Amino acid sequence: SNGVSKVPVILVTRVQPGSAAFRLGLRGGDVIIGANRKRVGTVAELVALLRGSEHAVLNLLRGDFLLNIAVR
């Protein structure tokens, strides 16, 4: 091992202007690390977490900044 811990994350590769993701504030290059302060590593985990919650906040990294984006 090279000493780098591999934590699964969701990389947002591309966001279509005008799409739902774009309107929420997601941008290409964002790294989604969780939702509602729980870690997620796959899109399936993210969808499952958001499905059961009335209020949802995405926790993501953009460059050196940690952002929280309310999705509903």
Side-chain angles (χ1 to χ4, degrees), residues 15-27 69:
V15 179
Q16 280 292 119
S19 67
F22 185 90
R23 288 195 300 273
L24 285 175
L26 289 177
R27 296 297 179 264
I69 295 181

Side-chain angles (χ1 to χ4, degrees), residues 32-41 45-46 49 57 59:
I32 299 173
I33 57 171
N36 296 345
R37 299 183 185 275
K38 294 186 175 70
R39 293 303 298 248
V40 296
E45 287 177 0
L46 178 63
L49 194 59
V57 176
N59 314 119

Side-chain angles (χ1 to χ4, degrees), residues 10 40-51:
I10 301 167
V40 296
T42 67
V43 173
E45 287 177 0
L46 178 63
V47 169
L49 194 59
L50 295 180
R51 184 180 291 135

